[in-house]
Amino acid sequence: SQTNEIQVSPSDINLNEIVLENIYLVRESAIKKQITVNSSDFGEYRIFADANMMRTVLRNLLINAIKFTSRGGVVSISAQKLDGFVKISVADTGIGIPEKDVNTILTTGIGISQNGTEGEKGSGLGLVLCKEFVVRNGGVFMVESEPGKGSAFYVCLPRLTDGEDECGDRCQLAPRGIERVLFVDDENLLAQMAGEMLSNLGYAVTS
């Protein structure tokens, strides 16, 4: 992939700033379709990732959500703190994505080209790019969707705690594991995301 040639430069990012920046960039498209964009208060959530890549990811997710949501719909962006990570959610009340298309995007890296609810054009590569950028920043990208009801896109990324700064230990490369890890959680989505993260770091995961 050509994106592998792009250098990843992680830093301390104020999540609220890049979320507001991207909501501002898509506001005209949302107003044109009378779509409400709701954003929760991210407070001082700080993530450790490449700022330009994360801007691209959030912008693509918001553009996609607006593109595939009918006039008068709702797009929501929120975040949740997990152990050492932040889970960002971009959800919509749009037309949804068939399960086979979700699997194609996530497992093969092949984009699915489809026009938006008002004929908006697209290459279908936006979600593929989002996943690649998130994975390259040590995170996990996941999709939940039901045709006719909407979609939710989840980005889970390393976060900085209040006592850390961008010159701290996280500026070093993430450690690579060789051990087997047993991961148990009542929330299936969280368990799957955490399992993928550990797998990306080289651990053998049993859930």
Side-chain angles (χ1 to χ4, degrees):
S1 170
Q2 290 183 345
T3 59
N4 286 329
E5 299 173 7
I6 302 174
Q7 184 176 357
V8 181
S9 301
S11 63
D12 176 356
I13 302 172
N14 183 309
L15 184 57
N16 195 54
E17 289 179 5
I18 63 170
V19 167
L20 292 177
E21 172 188 319
N22 279 284
I23 289 175
Y24 180 79
L25 289 173
V26 301
R27 75 194 187 288
E28 288 188 11
S29 297
I31 291 171
K32 183 178 179 182
K33 294 181 73 173
Q34 299 176 341
I35 290 172
T36 301
V37 179
N38 293 326
S39 174
S40 63
D41 181 6
F42 293 93
E44 293 301 314
Y45 280 21
R46 295 159 62 206
I47 58 175
F48 187 72
D50 185 292
N52 288 328
M53 285 186 172
M54 290 310 104
R55 286 187 179 97
T56 300
V57 168
L58 290 174
R59 187 161 56 251
N60 270 327
L61 291 179
L62 287 169
I63 288 171
N64 255 22
I66 292 168
K67 175 180 174 183
F68 293 110
T69 296
S70 297
R71 185 171 293 270
V74 177
V75 171
S76 302
I77 181 166
S78 60
Q80 174 187 0
K81 282 185 181 179
L82 306 176
D83 244 359
F85 296 91
V86 172
K87 182 174 76 172
I88 305 161
S89 168
V90 177
D92 62 59
T93 58
I95 60 177
I97 309 171
E99 184 177 358
K100 63 180 179 61
D101 289 347
V102 172
N103 291 336
T104 297
I105 292 166
L106 295 183
T107 61
T108 70
I110 298 174
I112 306 294
S113 181
Q114 183 180 351
N115 289 347
T117 57
E118 297 194 359
E120 301 99 322
K121 303 293 184 183
S123 66
L125 295 175
L127 295 181
V128 174
L129 184 67
C130 287
K131 181 189 176 184
E132 186 159 348
F133 277 4
V134 170
V135 170
R136 291 195 63 199
N137 279 273
V140 173
F141 179 77
M142 297 187 70
V143 182
E144 284 186 331
S145 188
E146 187 174 345
K149 293 191 175 180
S151 303
F153 302 89
Y154 301 100
V155 172
C156 201
L157 291 162
R159 73 178 175 91
L160 290 173
T161 62
D162 293 337
E164 285 183 305
D165 59 40
E166 61 180 321
C167 296
D169 293 339
R170 284 190 186 269
C171 288
Q172 306 301 318
L173 290 175
R176 297 284 166 176
I178 57 173
E179 299 87 356
R180 177 172 292 277
V181 176
L182 174 64
F183 189 90
V184 180
D185 195 282
D186 291 336
E187 186 181 339
N188 290 334
L189 181 64
L190 176 56
Q192 188 176 349
M193 293 176 83
E196 286 193 27
M197 282 183 176
L198 290 169
S199 295
N200 290 341
L201 292 175
Y203 292 95
V205 181
T206 302
S207 58

